[in-house]
Amino acid sequence: MHFSEDTEPDWTLYVGGEPVGLLSGVEQDMPWMRCNFEPLEGWEAVRALFDLHNEAGRQGFPRDKLSATKAILDRGVELRPSEPGTEAFQPFMIYVEGGKARFRR
C-alpha cells in the first residue's frame, strides 16, 4: 500500500525512536484499533522481531516465545499522530503483519 498525495497517514509507528511505518484508515474494533500499514525504511531492522512476536501471539505467548515481544517493548514503541493537537502514546500491544496492523491503547 502506498499513500496517495491527498491521503495522509493517521499515525507513524516508531520503534527505538526510529520511524518504521505509517498507519492509516484506523477503525475501532474494541478493544483493538485496526488499520493499514505501510513500511518505512526502518521497518526491515525490526521486521523479524514483529514476525516472531506475531507467531508468539498465535501460540498464546508461551514462555519460550516471549523474547521477541520483550525486545520490541524494550526498544520502546510509540505511535505519533499526524493530526496536530493529538498526543503520541505507547500502545499496550501492537501487531504488524503484511499490510495490516492492529493495536491497543
Side-chain angles (χ1 to χ4, degrees), residues 35-88:
C35 54
N36 298 312
F37 175 79
E38 181 179 335
L40 295 174
E41 190 174 311
W43 174 243
E44 288 306 314
V46 296
R47 180 184 199 145
L49 288 175
F50 276 87
D51 289 345
L52 291 170
H53 167 68
N54 293 337
E55 184 58 32
R58 282 191 284 276
Q59 294 179 19
F61 293 103
R63 284 184 174 253
D64 64 332
K65 303 283 184 185
L66 291 178
S67 62
T69 300
K70 183 177 179 338
I72 292 169
L73 294 175
D74 285 350
R75 288 180 185 208
V77 177
E78 185 176 53
L79 293 177
R80 297 183 189 171
S82 299
E83 185 178 315
T86 304
E87 290 189 32

Side-chain angles (χ1 to χ4, degrees), residues 6 30 86 96 98:
D6 56 342
M30 287 300 280
T86 304
V96 177

Side-chain angles (χ1 to χ4, degrees), residues 81-100:
S82 299
E83 185 178 315
T86 304
E87 290 189 32
F89 70 95
Q90 295 176 333
F92 168 72
M93 184 71 70
I94 186 164
Y95 295 93
V96 177
E97 197 161 16
K100 299 291 180 183

